[in-house]
Amino acid sequence: MDRIVAVDSETTGLSIIHGGRIIEIGAVAIENGVMTDEFSTLIDTGVAMTYGAFMVHGISEDMLKGKPKPVEVWPEFLKFVGNSPLIAHNARFDREFIRRELYLIGHTINNRWECTLKLARKRLPELHSHKLATVYKFLFSEKEICANIHRALVDAKMAAEIWVELKG
């Protein structure tokens, strides 16, 4: 693969079944093991935030006011990812939310997905937890984790670094 894209999303809740929507998307292009480009935006879906989601990512409804609407964001996201394979930590979660967002505006995505969570469980069975931050700290103990963990672009960058390290 010459180009892959690591993605992460932050949502209004944990389930699309209960109306959860993506309110932040972050993506990082990786070419030959190096991050080369990024895409990131908050998204104003007009959907109320659950308290639990807010406690995870800290994105408030006020922060979303005036931000691009889904119909503006998702076509740009599709251009950014192109036909590149996508990677995410717990890819199933991001894949389902992204597919739902695209469906809502009449688009689809057929890119192949890979999961850094599954990869970490396979390659690092000795870890007590395979959460993104735990895996990142284990692999890159010399690096400091950004204070904005659980924000889409930061998490996408961490997933990208984990992918490169574990696949390299």
Side-chain angles (χ1 to χ4, degrees), residues 30-84:
I30 308 157
E31 297 181 53
N32 302 314
V34 177
M35 287 186 252
T36 58
D37 200 5
E38 60 188 51
F39 176 90
S40 177
T41 187
L42 291 169
I43 306 167
D44 183 0
T45 62
V47 172
M49 188 85 54
T50 66
Y51 179 74
F54 171 74
M55 293 306 294
V56 170
H57 50 58
I59 300 169
S60 69
E61 291 174 19
D62 283 344
M63 292 169 66
L64 301 174
K65 289 179 182 168
K67 298 301 180 194
K69 303 288 185 192
V71 72
E72 300 168 83
V73 171
W74 294 110
E76 293 301 313
F77 174 80
L78 288 172
K79 283 183 204 170
F80 181 82
V81 301
N83 62 358
S84 299

Side-chain angles (χ1 to χ4, degrees), residues 120-150:
R121 285 179 175 154
K122 182 178 177 181
R123 299 275 174 95
L124 305 169
E126 69 276 17
L127 292 183
H128 69 284
S129 165
H130 292 89
K131 291 181 180 179
L132 182 66
T134 304
V135 174
Y136 190 85
K137 285 179 192 175
F138 179 80
L139 293 174
F140 306 105
S141 58
E142 74 284 357
K143 292 184 179 183
E144 198 171 308
I145 289 191
C146 178
N148 285 333
I149 190 167
H150 295 301

Side-chain angles (χ1 to χ4, degrees), residues 87-121:
I87 61 172
H89 202 77
N90 193 7
R92 183 175 164 197
F93 180 86
D94 294 288
R95 181 183 66 231
E96 295 309 313
F97 267 91
I98 289 170
R99 283 182 176 167
R100 175 71 175 159
E101 290 294 334
L102 291 169
Y103 170 80
L104 292 172
I105 63 164
H107 291 277
T108 60
I109 189 166
N110 296 311
N111 302 49
R112 191 178 55 136
W113 285 80
E114 300 286 338
C115 183
T116 56
L117 175 60
K118 287 182 181 179
L119 182 62
R121 285 179 175 154

Side-chain angles (χ1 to χ4, degrees), residues 6-10 89 132 148-160:
V7 300
D8 187 74
S9 61
E10 302 303 336
H89 202 77
L132 182 66
N148 285 333
I149 190 167
H150 295 301
R151 291 298 301 268
L153 186 60
V154 170
D155 288 3
K157 287 179 178 180
M158 289 192 326

